[in-house]
Amino acid sequence: QICIYLTGCMTINIKDIQGVGPKTLESFQHLGISTKEHILQLFPKRYVSYFLDDIENIKKGKLINPPVLSRHHVFKTSFKLDVNGVIISCVAYQQPYLKHVLDVGAFYIVKGKFDTKKKIFIVSQLKPIRLENQMVADYDLKDIPNYRIQNILKTLLQTEIKETIPNDMLEKLHVIPIDQAYQGIHFPKNENDVEEALKRFKLQELLHLFEGVSKQKKRHFLTFDQPFSIQEKTKSLPFKLTKDQENIVLNIIKDSKEDVPLKHLIQGDVGSGKTIIALIIASYFIAQGYQVALMVPTEILARQHVKTVQSLFKHINVSLLTSTIDFKDDIMHDIHQGNVELIIGTHILASSSLSFHQLGLVMIDEQQKFGVEIRKSLIEKARDQDVIYLTATPIPRTLLRSILGDAKIYTLHTMPIGKQPIKTISVSYDALNKIMDQLQRALENHQHIFVVVPAIDSDRVTYNVMHTYHVFKQRFQQDIFVLHGQMPKHEQQRVMDSFRKQKQGILISTQMIEVGVDIKTATFMLILEAEYFGLSQLHQLRGRLGRGQLKGVCYLISNQPNDERFTILEQTTSGFEISEQDLYTRGPGDMLGLIQSGRPPFKHIDFIEDGPFIQKAYDVYLDLKNKDTHV
C-alpha cells in the first residue's frame, strides 16, 4: 500500500540533539520547533554562492596584515588581501568580530563590491576558504546563527532518515531519496542540488494531495433502473441541444450506472448551456425516485434557475430555499418529507437544520465561491455522495487533475445556436460622452444596459456606485436602477425583477451580476475603473450580454486603455484562452478551493510551472496504486 508521511524521521525531541543548548532550545521552542523533523524541514530563506567565476563580486586572497578596527559612527574593520599577487584594500562595516577571528597568512573568500572612487573593496560577507565554489544556506533566524543551525543539521543528517516513498515511484519520476534531498537542501554544492531536492519535496506534497482526492467510494444505495428518454424530456424545449450538450448528458447517465458515485465537473464558457445539462441530469435522477439539490452562489441566480425550471421543465416539482425567503420552515419540512424533487438554493442547503428525504445528487454551481466545509457538508447529505460541479471558469487540465483526482471532466466546446457575439472595446474616460449617446439610442429601442463599478461608496475609486448613479441621473432622468451587496436580499430581488420587467433600463451595479443574470434585451455593458477587475472576472461580466437575438458591446473604461489584459479581451471571446492567461498572470487563486480540507499547505508546488511534473506524478501514482490493489 502506498502510504505517505510528512517525513521519514523517527521523532526525536530537540533537547536530546547534540549542539542544542538551553538558549538555542528556548529559541527553537519560541519558533514552534520541537522535533528532529521540524529542524530538517526548516528550509533556508536564501542561498549565498561563493563561486569564483563571479569575478566582480567575489575575491579569494591571503590576509597580509592584522585587521584594524576603528569606529566613527559605525564599526569599520580594515585589512588587506593578496589576490593572485594584487594587493586589495578591504573594509567591512559593522562586523567588529572580524578583528578577532582573522589570521595573517590564512586564505579567505570575500563577497562584496569594489568602490572605484575610494579604490577599496566593500566586504558584505567573509568566509573561510573551505567554502570556495559552494552555496551556503542562510536561515535568517533572529536568535540562532547560521553556523549553529548548520552544525545541528550535520549531526541530524548522520542519523537514519527512513524513506517513505516507494522506490518504484522515485525511479520512474527520477527523484532522489529523502536523505539526499535533505542534504541537497541544507548543504548544496550548486543550484542543481537545490532543484533536485525541491523536486523530492514537491512529490511529497503531491502524494498527500493524491491520497486525499483519489479515494473512490463504492456505490451502496442508489439504483438506476427506471426508463428515461432524453428526447422525451427535451422535445418541448424552445431550442435544440448542441452535440456537446447531448453527449455530456448521455455520458453522465452512463457513468451513473457504474459502481462508483458520480464525481464530475462540467466546464464551459459563459453562456455555453451548462444549466440545461444540469436540469436534464436532475430530471434523470428525479425519474429514478431521488431528490436533487442545486447550490448556487447568489439568491438572484437561485431565483432565476427556479424560473427556468418552471418555464422549461414543468414536470419537476421545484422549490427555492434561501436564508431570507418566507415560509422557510414549511419548505424545509416539505423537503424532509420528500414533497420536493429539486431544491435550488444558496449555502443554506448545507446547513445542519436541513435534512432531505432521499437526496441522490448534489450539483454545485461556481464551486470556488463556496468554502470547503460548506461544499463538504452538502455533499455528505447525498446517499452515495454523487456530485457534479459546474464552472464557467475553465481550468487547465493538469491543475484540475491535481485538485479533483479521479473526477471525470466534461467540457462544452460549442455555443448554443443563436448565441450572439460580444464586441469588447477598451477606451479612456474621454469617450464616455459619445458612449452616452449610444446608450440613449439603446433605451429608445427598449434595450437594457449594465454599468458595473468596483465599489459601493469607496473613495479609493472615482466611479463607485453612488457617484456613478449621480452622473447617469443627470443624463438619463428615468429608467435607472441600483444594485449592490449591502442592500437587503428582498430589495436586491425587487430591483432585479423591476429592471427585467421594465421595457428598458440602466442597472448600476457592483460585480455581483457576474453570474446568472440573464436578460435577453441587454445590449451594452460599461465597466468603469476596469483595471480593478481580474481578466476572468471581466470575461464573466461581459457574458451577461448577447443572451438573446441582439448583439452586445462591452466597453472597458479606465485610465489605462492600453492594458495588456484589455487587449486580450478585445482579441478573443474564448474563456479557455482567457482563463489560461489569467492563471499565468494571477496564479491559481480560488481554483484551488476545490481541494478538500485537511490537506497540508503547499510550500513548494507551483501549480502552473510544475504542471507536467504533476501530471506525470499522478499517472505513476495511479499506476502503482492499481498494481497494489491487484496484489
Side-chain angles (χ1 to χ4, degrees):
Q1 185 182 5
I2 297 175
C3 184
I4 308 302
Y5 302 95
L6 259 175
T7 70
C9 315
M10 295 293 290
T11 299
I12 299 173
N13 194 296
I14 56 169
K15 68 183 180 182
D16 300 322
I17 297 171
Q18 182 183 338
V20 179
K23 190 174 179 183
T24 304
L25 177 64
E26 185 181 341
S27 298
F28 273 139
Q29 288 173 338
H30 184 69
L31 293 168
I33 294 171
S34 59
T35 65
K36 166 185 174 179
E37 300 97 303
H38 290 161
I39 298 178
L40 286 171
Q41 291 165 29
L42 183 67
F43 287 5
K45 296 276 179 61
R46 64 189 70 84
Y47 295 94
V48 181
S49 62
Y50 293 93
F51 288 91
L52 297 180
D53 54 0
D54 188 355
I55 302 299
E56 293 298 316
N57 297 319
I58 294 182
K59 310 288 183 188
K60 180 179 80 167
K62 181 171 72 172
L63 187 69
I64 62 172
N65 69 308
V68 176
L69 179 64
S70 60
R71 183 173 183 178
H72 181 67
H73 299 303
V74 296
F75 284 109
K76 182 173 83 170
T77 307
S78 304
F79 54 92
K80 290 183 180 179
L81 292 179
D82 181 344
V83 179
N84 297 326
V86 178
I87 308 301
I88 295 179
S89 297
C90 301
V91 171
Y93 292 101
Q94 295 296 70
Q95 300 178 62
Y97 64 90
L98 292 178
K99 160 77 175 168
H100 309 289
V101 299
L102 299 183
D103 296 322
V104 175
F107 281 84
Y108 296 96
I109 298 171
V110 289
K111 185 180 178 76
K113 283 190 176 180
F114 195 80
D115 187 326
T116 52
K117 288 184 179 179
K118 296 181 180 179
K119 306 294 184 187
I120 58 173
F121 190 80
I122 311 296
V123 176
S124 59
Q125 288 185 323
L126 179 144
K127 297 291 178 183
I129 195 66
R130 60 185 169 77
L131 295 178
E132 179 180 342
N133 292 335
Q134 286 193 35
M135 293 175 66
V136 178
D138 181 6
Y139 297 86
D140 196 21
L141 295 180
K142 185 180 177 184
D143 298 320
I144 312 174
N146 278 333
Y147 75 87
R148 183 160 294 140
I149 296 173
Q150 288 166 340
N151 287 338
I152 293 168
L153 283 164
K154 283 175 184 174
T155 301
L156 293 180
L157 289 173
Q158 289 171 7
T159 64
E160 182 187 5
I161 301 175
K162 188 179 177 184
E163 182 57 76
T164 57
I165 296 178
N167 284 332
D168 282 359
M169 179 171 283
L170 295 176
E171 288 172 10
K172 286 184 178 182
L173 293 169
H174 306 292
V175 172
I176 60 177
I178 186 71
D179 52 352
Q180 288 182 35
Y182 279 127
Q183 184 71 35
I185 238 9
H186 294 295
F187 300 100
K189 294 184 181 66
N190 49 47
E191 289 183 9
N192 186 61
D193 281 3
V194 177
E195 287 298 316
E196 288 299 310
L198 283 175
K199 189 176 178 184
R200 170 59 173 73
F201 296 112
K202 286 177 182 181
L203 178 59
Q204 202 155 288
E205 285 186 349
L206 285 173
L207 290 174
H208 276 285
L209 179 57
F210 297 158
E211 283 286 292
V213 299
S214 66
K215 291 175 182 173
Q216 283 197 331
K217 298 179 177 69
K218 292 286 184 184
R219 189 176 290 294
H220 294 294
F221 301 104
L222 304 193
T223 56
F224 300 87
D225 48 18
Q226 298 302 311
F228 182 81
S229 167
I230 296 175
Q231 289 71 27
E232 190 66 32
K233 295 296 179 185
T234 59
K235 67 180 181 183
S236 60
L237 294 179
F239 50 81
K240 194 172 183 284
L241 294 183
T242 65
K243 198 68 182 166
D244 276 355
Q245 287 174 316
E246 193 173 322
N247 286 339
I248 291 174
V249 170
L250 287 169
N251 279 319
I252 292 177
I253 289 174
K254 180 184 170 189
D255 294 341
S256 71
K257 295 172 182 176
E258 294 179 3
D259 61 355
V260 293
L262 296 180
K263 186 181 177 186
H264 287 20
L265 181 134
I266 302 172
Q267 63 173 359
D269 213 341
V270 180
S272 60
K274 297 180 296 297
T275 303
I276 293 303
I277 293 175
L279 295 180
I280 296 170
I281 297 300
S283 296
Y284 167 68
F285 268 76
I286 289 166
Q288 310 306 311
Y290 306 118
Q291 291 173 304
V292 176
L294 171 57
M295 186 166 69
V296 299
T298 67
E299 184 167 328
I300 288 172
L301 180 54
R303 288 180 181 274
Q304 182 172 292
H305 282 336
V306 169
K307 286 179 181 176
T308 301
V309 174
Q310 291 169 338
S311 169
L312 300 180
F313 295 84
K314 293 184 172 66
H315 61 281
I316 294 178
N317 182 354
V318 62
S319 275
L320 171 74
L321 184 62
T322 70
S323 55
T324 61
I325 60 167
D326 297 329
F327 309 111
K328 183 169 58 184
D329 291 342
D330 293 342
I331 293 169
M332 292 173 78
H333 177 75
D334 283 343
I335 293 169
H336 177 69
Q337 293 296 315
N339 300 328
V340 182
E341 297 171 322
L342 173 60
I343 304 94
I344 300 177
T346 51
H347 59 276
I348 192 175
L349 298 184
S351 70
S352 58
S353 57
L354 174 64
S355 61
F356 294 84
H357 176 67
Q358 182 90 307
L359 182 59
L361 175 67
V362 168
M363 293 188 285
I364 301 176
D365 198 2
E366 295 301 329
Q367 34 62 40
Q368 71 273 14
K369 296 183 182 292
F370 296 99
V372 171
E373 294 306 321
I374 289 176
R375 293 195 303 269
K376 187 179 175 186
S377 296
L378 177 55
I379 292 167
E380 287 177 347
K381 293 182 183 188
R383 298 299 305 277
D384 278 330
Q385 298 189 19
D386 290 77
V387 59
I388 294 177
Y389 299 103
L390 309 169
T391 182
T393 307
I395 307 170
R397 200 166 191 86
T398 53
L399 180 56
L400 274 175
R401 291 197 71 183
S402 59
I403 61 181
L404 281 178
D406 293 330
K408 286 196 176 179
I409 301 153
Y410 289 117
T411 302
L412 281 160
H413 294 285
T414 53
M415 284 291 180
I417 297 166
K419 171 79 174 146
Q420 296 299 315
I422 304 162
K423 186 172 185 180
T424 302
I425 305 170
S426 175
V427 296
S428 67
Y429 291 99
D430 295 340
L432 196 51
N433 279 332
K434 285 187 178 179
I435 294 171
M436 294 281 203
D437 293 338
Q438 294 179 26
L439 302 188
Q440 183 64 57
R441 290 192 290 274
L443 291 173
E444 290 168 2
N445 290 320
H446 304 307
Q447 294 168 11
H448 289 80
I449 296 155
F450 295 110
V451 178
V452 184
V453 296
I456 300 169
D457 57 5
S458 170
D459 55 8
R460 291 177 62 190
V461 295
T462 302
Y463 285 92
N464 56 39
V465 168
M466 302 310 168
H467 175 69
T468 306
Y469 172 76
H470 291 300
V471 169
F472 276 75
K473 193 70 176 172
Q474 289 174 4
R475 179 68 185 262
F476 310 99
Q477 280 72 42
Q478 54 190 12
D479 302 326
I480 296 184
F481 301 81
V482 172
L483 181 70
H484 58 75
Q486 289 182 5
M487 296 165 62
K489 291 286 194 295
H490 68 273
E491 181 64 15
Q492 292 177 23
Q493 194 57 48
R494 187 196 64 77
V495 169
M496 279 307 303
D497 288 343
S498 299
F499 179 63
R500 190 179 279 109
K501 289 173 184 173
Q502 191 99 345
K503 283 185 178 179
Q504 67 279 327
I506 298 174
L507 179 68
I508 298 170
S509 171
T510 54
Q511 63 266 30
M512 64 182 298
I513 63 159
E514 179 184 351
V515 291
V517 176
D518 190 353
I519 297 176
K520 308 298 184 194
T521 51
T523 53
F524 282 94
M525 176 176 285
L526 278 62
I527 303 179
L528 300 164
E529 315 261 7
E531 65 270 27
Y532 285 92
F533 297 89
L535 191 54
S536 291
Q537 195 173 36
L538 290 168
H539 177 64
Q540 285 267 32
L541 283 165
R542 70 177 176 180
R544 301 310 104 210
L545 303 176
R547 303 181 82 86
Q549 299 303 310
L550 302 172
K551 293 181 181 180
V553 178
C554 176
Y555 285 106
L556 307 175
I557 306 174
S558 73
N559 289 316
Q560 302 151 26
N562 296 321
D563 189 308
E564 184 183 358
R565 295 175 306 140
F566 303 157
T567 304
I568 292 168
L569 288 163
E570 287 178 319
Q571 291 174 347
T572 180
T573 57
S574 166
F576 290 89
E577 289 181 36
I578 288 162
S579 182
E580 194 84 27
Q581 289 284 346
D582 207 20
L583 192 65
Y584 275 92
T585 55
R586 303 204 315 162
D590 285 343
M591 294 177 184
L592 294 179
L594 272 169
I595 295 174
Q596 297 173 8
S597 62
R599 303 272 74 77
F602 299 103
K603 294 179 181 177
H604 311 299
I605 288 292
D606 182 322
F607 280 92
I608 303 164
E609 296 296 329
D610 295 325
F613 180 63
I614 292 170
Q615 184 147 348
K616 189 174 179 184
Y618 192 64
D619 290 339
V620 171
Y621 169 79
L622 286 182
D623 183 49
L624 291 177
K625 188 174 166 70
N626 290 334
K627 282 181 183 176
D628 187 60
T629 304
H630 293 114
V631 173

mmCIF file with all atom_site columns, all heavy atoms in Angstrom, residues 267-285:
data_model
loop_
_atom_site.group_PDB
_atom_site.id
_atom_site.type_symbol
_atom_site.label_atom_id
_atom_site.label_alt_id
_atom_site.label_comp_id
_atom_site.label_asym_id
_atom_site.label_entity_id
_atom_site.label_seq_id
_atom_site.pdbx_PDB_ins_code
_atom_site.Cartn_x
_atom_site.Cartn_y
_atom_site.Cartn_z
_atom_site.occupancy
_atom_site.B_iso_or_equiv
_atom_site.pdbx_formal_charge
_atom_site.auth_seq_id
_atom_site.auth_comp_id
_atom_site.auth_asym_id
_atom_site.auth_atom_id
_atom_site.pdbx_PDB_model_num
ATOM 1   N N   . GLN A 1 267 ? -17.329 21.871 -17.324 1.00 0.00 ? 267 GLN A N   1
ATOM 2   C CA  . GLN A 1 267 ? -16.808 23.222 -17.523 1.00 0.00 ? 267 GLN A CA  1
ATOM 3   C C   . GLN A 1 267 ? -17.173 23.698 -18.920 1.00 0.00 ? 267 GLN A C   1
ATOM 4   O O   . GLN A 1 267 ? -17.125 22.946 -19.885 1.00 0.00 ? 267 GLN A O   1
ATOM 5   C CB  . GLN A 1 267 ? -15.307 23.282 -17.272 1.00 0.00 ? 267 GLN A CB  1
ATOM 6   C CG  . GLN A 1 267 ? -14.439 22.453 -18.197 1.00 0.00 ? 267 GLN A CG  1
ATOM 7   C CD  . GLN A 1 267 ? -12.963 22.702 -17.972 1.00 0.00 ? 267 GLN A CD  1
ATOM 8   O OE1 . GLN A 1 267 ? -12.575 23.507 -17.136 1.00 0.00 ? 267 GLN A OE1 1
ATOM 9   N NE2 . GLN A 1 267 ? -12.125 22.009 -18.724 1.00 0.00 ? 267 GLN A NE2 1
ATOM 10  N N   . GLY A 1 268 ? -17.550 24.947 -18.980 1.00 0.00 ? 268 GLY A N   1
ATOM 11  C CA  . GLY A 1 268 ? -17.933 25.523 -20.263 1.00 0.00 ? 268 GLY A CA  1
ATOM 12  C C   . GLY A 1 268 ? -17.943 27.024 -20.156 1.00 0.00 ? 268 GLY A C   1
ATOM 13  O O   . GLY A 1 268 ? -18.141 27.588 -19.071 1.00 0.00 ? 268 GLY A O   1
ATOM 14  N N   . ASP A 1 269 ? -17.741 27.678 -21.272 1.00 0.00 ? 269 ASP A N   1
ATOM 15  C CA  . ASP A 1 269 ? -17.663 29.137 -21.273 1.00 0.00 ? 269 ASP A CA  1
ATOM 16  C C   . ASP A 1 269 ? -18.997 29.758 -20.861 1.00 0.00 ? 269 ASP A C   1
ATOM 17  O O   . ASP A 1 269 ? -20.035 29.084 -20.807 1.00 0.00 ? 269 ASP A O   1
ATOM 18  C CB  . ASP A 1 269 ? -17.280 29.613 -22.682 1.00 0.00 ? 269 ASP A CB  1
ATOM 19  C CG  . ASP A 1 269 ? -16.434 30.877 -22.641 1.00 0.00 ? 269 ASP A CG  1
ATOM 20  O OD1 . ASP A 1 269 ? -16.457 31.561 -21.607 1.00 0.00 ? 269 ASP A OD1 1
ATOM 21  O OD2 . ASP A 1 269 ? -15.753 31.174 -23.636 1.00 0.00 ? 269 ASP A OD2 1
ATOM 22  N N   . VAL A 1 270 ? -18.953 31.038 -20.570 1.00 0.00 ? 270 VAL A N   1
ATOM 23  C CA  . VAL A 1 270 ? -20.162 31.777 -20.229 1.00 0.00 ? 270 VAL A CA  1
ATOM 24  C C   . VAL A 1 270 ? -21.190 31.618 -21.346 1.00 0.00 ? 270 VAL A C   1
ATOM 25  O O   . VAL A 1 270 ? -20.882 31.836 -22.518 1.00 0.00 ? 270 VAL A O   1
ATOM 26  C CB  . VAL A 1 270 ? -19.833 33.282 -20.050 1.00 0.00 ? 270 VAL A CB  1
ATOM 27  C CG1 . VAL A 1 270 ? -21.083 34.056 -19.687 1.00 0.00 ? 270 VAL A CG1 1
ATOM 28  C CG2 . VAL A 1 270 ? -18.767 33.470 -18.990 1.00 0.00 ? 270 VAL A CG2 1
ATOM 29  N N   . GLY A 1 271 ? -22.411 31.180 -20.996 1.00 0.00 ? 271 GLY A N   1
ATOM 30  C CA  . GLY A 1 271 ? -23.471 31.053 -21.984 1.00 0.00 ? 271 GLY A CA  1
ATOM 31  C C   . GLY A 1 271 ? -23.417 29.802 -22.827 1.00 0.00 ? 271 GLY A C   1
ATOM 32  O O   . GLY A 1 271 ? -24.123 29.690 -23.838 1.00 0.00 ? 271 GLY A O   1
ATOM 33  N N   . SER A 1 272 ? -22.599 28.811 -22.435 1.00 0.00 ? 272 SER A N   1
ATOM 34  C CA  . SER A 1 272 ? -22.454 27.605 -23.262 1.00 0.00 ? 272 SER A CA  1
ATOM 35  C C   . SER A 1 272 ? -23.547 26.572 -23.002 1.00 0.00 ? 272 SER A C   1
ATOM 36  O O   . SER A 1 272 ? -23.618 25.568 -23.699 1.00 0.00 ? 272 SER A O   1
ATOM 37  C CB  . SER A 1 272 ? -21.071 26.972 -23.039 1.00 0.00 ? 272 SER A CB  1
ATOM 38  O OG  . SER A 1 272 ? -20.905 26.616 -21.677 1.00 0.00 ? 272 SER A OG  1
ATOM 39  N N   . GLY A 1 273 ? -24.376 26.784 -21.990 1.00 0.00 ? 273 GLY A N   1
ATOM 40  C CA  . GLY A 1 273 ? -25.519 25.892 -21.773 1.00 0.00 ? 273 GLY A CA  1
ATOM 41  C C   . GLY A 1 273 ? -25.334 24.846 -20.696 1.00 0.00 ? 273 GLY A C   1
ATOM 42  O O   . GLY A 1 273 ? -25.902 23.756 -20.769 1.00 0.00 ? 273 GLY A O   1
ATOM 43  N N   . LYS A 1 274 ? -24.551 25.168 -19.658 1.00 0.00 ? 274 LYS A N   1
ATOM 44  C CA  . LYS A 1 274 ? -24.341 24.214 -18.554 1.00 0.00 ? 274 LYS A CA  1
ATOM 45  C C   . LYS A 1 274 ? -25.624 23.991 -17.753 1.00 0.00 ? 274 LYS A C   1
ATOM 46  O O   . LYS A 1 274 ? -25.896 22.885 -17.287 1.00 0.00 ? 274 LYS A O   1
ATOM 47  C CB  . LYS A 1 274 ? -23.245 24.735 -17.614 1.00 0.00 ? 274 LYS A CB  1
ATOM 48  C CG  . LYS A 1 274 ? -21.874 24.862 -18.251 1.00 0.00 ? 274 LYS A CG  1
ATOM 49  C CD  . LYS A 1 274 ? -20.845 25.377 -17.278 1.00 0.00 ? 274 LYS A CD  1
ATOM 50  C CE  . LYS A 1 274 ? -21.131 26.780 -16.799 1.00 0.00 ? 274 LYS A CE  1
ATOM 51  N NZ  . LYS A 1 274 ? -21.110 27.790 -17.857 1.00 0.00 ? 274 LYS A NZ  1
ATOM 52  N N   . THR A 1 275 ? -26.414 25.050 -17.581 1.00 0.00 ? 275 THR A N   1
ATOM 53  C CA  . THR A 1 275 ? -27.626 24.946 -16.749 1.00 0.00 ? 275 THR A CA  1
ATOM 54  C C   . THR A 1 275 ? -28.603 23.925 -17.321 1.00 0.00 ? 275 THR A C   1
ATOM 55  O O   . THR A 1 275 ? -29.197 23.135 -16.575 1.00 0.00 ? 275 THR A O   1
ATOM 56  C CB  . THR A 1 275 ? -28.311 26.324 -16.636 1.00 0.00 ? 275 THR A CB  1
ATOM 57  O OG1 . THR A 1 275 ? -27.364 27.255 -16.108 1.00 0.00 ? 275 THR A OG1 1
ATOM 58  C CG2 . THR A 1 275 ? -29.515 26.250 -15.714 1.00 0.00 ? 275 THR A CG2 1
ATOM 59  N N   . ILE A 1 276 ? -28.776 23.924 -18.636 1.00 0.00 ? 276 ILE A N   1
ATOM 60  C CA  . ILE A 1 276 ? -29.714 22.980 -19.263 1.00 0.00 ? 276 ILE A CA  1
ATOM 61  C C   . ILE A 1 276 ? -29.251 21.547 -19.033 1.00 0.00 ? 276 ILE A C   1
ATOM 62  O O   . ILE A 1 276 ? -30.058 20.659 -18.721 1.00 0.00 ? 276 ILE A O   1
ATOM 63  C CB  . ILE A 1 276 ? -29.847 23.276 -20.776 1.00 0.00 ? 276 ILE A CB  1
ATOM 64  C CG1 . ILE A 1 276 ? -30.523 24.639 -20.980 1.00 0.00 ? 276 ILE A CG1 1
ATOM 65  C CG2 . ILE A 1 276 ? -30.638 22.182 -21.473 1.00 0.00 ? 276 ILE A CG2 1
ATOM 66  C CD1 . ILE A 1 276 ? -31.900 24.769 -20.335 1.00 0.00 ? 276 ILE A CD1 1
ATOM 67  N N   . ILE A 1 277 ? -27.932 21.302 -19.149 1.00 0.00 ? 277 ILE A N   1
ATOM 68  C CA  . ILE A 1 277 ? -27.406 19.967 -18.870 1.00 0.00 ? 277 ILE A CA  1
ATOM 69  C C   . ILE A 1 277 ? -27.738 19.576 -17.436 1.00 0.00 ? 277 ILE A C   1
ATOM 70  O O   . ILE A 1 277 ? -28.209 18.465 -17.162 1.00 0.00 ? 277 ILE A O   1
ATOM 71  C CB  . ILE A 1 277 ? -25.874 19.924 -19.074 1.00 0.00 ? 277 ILE A CB  1
ATOM 72  C CG1 . ILE A 1 277 ? -25.531 20.115 -20.549 1.00 0.00 ? 277 ILE A CG1 1
ATOM 73  C CG2 . ILE A 1 277 ? -25.289 18.610 -18.568 1.00 0.00 ? 277 ILE A CG2 1
ATOM 74  C CD1 . ILE A 1 277 ? -24.049 20.196 -20.829 1.00 0.00 ? 277 ILE A CD1 1
ATOM 75  N N   . ALA A 1 278 ? -27.503 20.502 -16.507 1.00 0.00 ? 278 ALA A N   1
ATOM 76  C CA  . ALA A 1 278 ? -27.754 20.228 -15.090 1.00 0.00 ? 278 ALA A CA  1
ATOM 77  C C   . ALA A 1 278 ? -29.221 19.863 -14.856 1.00 0.00 ? 278 ALA A C   1
ATOM 78  O O   . ALA A 1 278 ? -29.536 18.924 -14.103 1.00 0.00 ? 278 ALA A O   1
ATOM 79  C CB  . ALA A 1 278 ? -27.368 21.443 -14.249 1.00 0.00 ? 278 ALA A CB  1
ATOM 80  N N   . LEU A 1 279 ? -30.132 20.556 -15.511 1.00 0.00 ? 279 LEU A N   1
ATOM 81  C CA  . LEU A 1 279 ? -31.559 20.311 -15.294 1.00 0.00 ? 279 LEU A CA  1
ATOM 82  C C   . LEU A 1 279 ? -32.016 18.996 -15.934 1.00 0.00 ? 279 LEU A C   1
ATOM 83  O O   . LEU A 1 279 ? -32.898 18.317 -15.401 1.00 0.00 ? 279 LEU A O   1
ATOM 84  C CB  . LEU A 1 279 ? -32.376 21.490 -15.830 1.00 0.00 ? 279 LEU A CB  1
ATOM 85  C CG  . LEU A 1 279 ? -32.135 22.824 -15.090 1.00 0.00 ? 279 LEU A CG  1
ATOM 86  C CD1 . LEU A 1 279 ? -32.991 23.933 -15.681 1.00 0.00 ? 279 LEU A CD1 1
ATOM 87  C CD2 . LEU A 1 279 ? -32.383 22.686 -13.585 1.00 0.00 ? 279 LEU A CD2 1
ATOM 88  N N   . ILE A 1 280 ? -31.408 18.623 -17.042 1.00 0.00 ? 280 ILE A N   1
ATOM 89  C CA  . ILE A 1 280 ? -31.748 17.320 -17.654 1.00 0.00 ? 280 ILE A CA  1
ATOM 90  C C   . ILE A 1 280 ? -31.255 16.185 -16.753 1.00 0.00 ? 280 ILE A C   1
ATOM 91  O O   . ILE A 1 280 ? -31.965 15.200 -16.520 1.00 0.00 ? 280 ILE A O   1
ATOM 92  C CB  . ILE A 1 280 ? -31.148 17.198 -19.070 1.00 0.00 ? 280 ILE A CB  1
ATOM 93  C CG1 . ILE A 1 280 ? -31.774 18.247 -20.006 1.00 0.00 ? 280 ILE A CG1 1
ATOM 94  C CG2 . ILE A 1 280 ? -31.400 15.795 -19.639 1.00 0.00 ? 280 ILE A CG2 1
ATOM 95  C CD1 . ILE A 1 280 ? -31.087 18.366 -21.356 1.00 0.00 ? 280 ILE A CD1 1
ATOM 96  N N   . ILE A 1 281 ? -30.031 16.330 -16.225 1.00 0.00 ? 281 ILE A N   1
ATOM 97  C CA  . ILE A 1 281 ? -29.498 15.312 -15.300 1.00 0.00 ? 281 ILE A CA  1
ATOM 98  C C   . ILE A 1 281 ? -30.354 15.257 -14.035 1.00 0.00 ? 281 ILE A C   1
ATOM 99  O O   . ILE A 1 281 ? -30.614 14.172 -13.494 1.00 0.00 ? 281 ILE A O   1
ATOM 100 C CB  . ILE A 1 281 ? -28.024 15.606 -14.952 1.00 0.00 ? 281 ILE A CB  1
ATOM 101 C CG1 . ILE A 1 281 ? -27.145 15.524 -16.202 1.00 0.00 ? 281 ILE A CG1 1
ATOM 102 C CG2 . ILE A 1 281 ? -27.520 14.649 -13.877 1.00 0.00 ? 281 ILE A CG2 1
ATOM 103 C CD1 . ILE A 1 281 ? -27.145 14.185 -16.891 1.00 0.00 ? 281 ILE A CD1 1
ATOM 104 N N   . ALA A 1 282 ? -30.813 16.424 -13.585 1.00 0.00 ? 282 ALA A N   1
ATOM 105 C CA  . ALA A 1 282 ? -31.714 16.459 -12.420 1.00 0.00 ? 282 ALA A CA  1
ATOM 106 C C   . ALA A 1 282 ? -32.990 15.670 -12.726 1.00 0.00 ? 282 ALA A C   1
ATOM 107 O O   . ALA A 1 282 ? -33.474 14.885 -11.895 1.00 0.00 ? 282 ALA A O   1
ATOM 108 C CB  . ALA A 1 282 ? -32.040 17.903 -12.052 1.00 0.00 ? 282 ALA A CB  1
ATOM 109 N N   . SER A 1 283 ? -33.532 15.867 -13.929 1.00 0.00 ? 283 SER A N   1
ATOM 110 C CA  . SER A 1 283 ? -34.734 15.125 -14.346 1.00 0.00 ? 283 SER A CA  1
ATOM 111 C C   . SER A 1 283 ? -34.495 13.620 -14.302 1.00 0.00 ? 283 SER A C   1
ATOM 112 O O   . SER A 1 283 ? -35.364 12.844 -13.887 1.00 0.00 ? 283 SER A O   1
ATOM 113 C CB  . SER A 1 283 ? -35.136 15.512 -15.774 1.00 0.00 ? 283 SER A CB  1
ATOM 114 O OG  . SER A 1 283 ? -35.501 16.861 -15.844 1.00 0.00 ? 283 SER A OG  1
ATOM 115 N N   . TYR A 1 284 ? -33.310 13.221 -14.734 1.00 0.00 ? 284 TYR A N   1
ATOM 116 C CA  . TYR A 1 284 ? -32.951 11.794 -14.759 1.00 0.00 ? 284 TYR A CA  1
ATOM 117 C C   . TYR A 1 284 ? -32.933 11.217 -13.337 1.00 0.00 ? 284 TYR A C   1
ATOM 118 O O   . TYR A 1 284 ? -33.506 10.160 -13.071 1.00 0.00 ? 284 TYR A O   1
ATOM 119 C CB  . TYR A 1 284 ? -31.597 11.627 -15.441 1.00 0.00 ? 284 TYR A CB  1
ATOM 120 C CG  . TYR A 1 284 ? -30.975 10.267 -15.261 1.00 0.00 ? 284 TYR A CG  1
ATOM 121 C CD1 . TYR A 1 284 ? -31.536 9.129  -15.841 1.00 0.00 ? 284 TYR A CD1 1
ATOM 122 C CD2 . TYR A 1 284 ? -29.811 10.115 -14.500 1.00 0.00 ? 284 TYR A CD2 1
ATOM 123 C CE1 . TYR A 1 284 ? -30.967 7.872  -15.676 1.00 0.00 ? 284 TYR A CE1 1
ATOM 124 C CE2 . TYR A 1 284 ? -29.232 8.866  -14.328 1.00 0.00 ? 284 TYR A CE2 1
ATOM 125 C CZ  . TYR A 1 284 ? -29.812 7.754  -14.910 1.00 0.00 ? 284 TYR A CZ  1
ATOM 126 O OH  . TYR A 1 284 ? -29.246 6.521  -14.740 1.00 0.00 ? 284 TYR A OH  1
ATOM 127 N N   . PHE A 1 285 ? -32.280 11.902 -12.402 1.00 0.00 ? 285 PHE A N   1
ATOM 128 C CA  . PHE A 1 285 ? -32.223 11.424 -11.020 1.00 0.00 ? 285 PHE A CA  1
ATOM 129 C C   . PHE A 1 285 ? -33.618 11.416 -10.384 1.00 0.00 ? 285 PHE A C   1
ATOM 130 O O   . PHE A 1 285 ? -33.960 10.491 -9.641  1.00 0.00 ? 285 PHE A O   1
ATOM 131 C CB  . PHE A 1 285 ? -31.271 12.289 -10.189 1.00 0.00 ? 285 PHE A CB  1
ATOM 132 C CG  . PHE A 1 285 ? -29.863 11.774 -10.155 1.00 0.00 ? 285 PHE A CG  1
ATOM 133 C CD1 . PHE A 1 285 ? -29.029 11.936 -11.255 1.00 0.00 ? 285 PHE A CD1 1
ATOM 134 C CD2 . PHE A 1 285 ? -29.360 11.122 -9.048  1.00 0.00 ? 285 PHE A CD2 1
ATOM 135 C CE1 . PHE A 1 285 ? -27.728 11.467 -11.252 1.00 0.00 ? 285 PHE A CE1 1
ATOM 136 C CE2 . PHE A 1 285 ? -28.060 10.634 -9.018  1.00 0.00 ? 285 PHE A CE2 1
ATOM 137 C CZ  . PHE A 1 285 ? -27.229 10.801 -10.133 1.00 0.00 ? 285 PHE A CZ  1
#
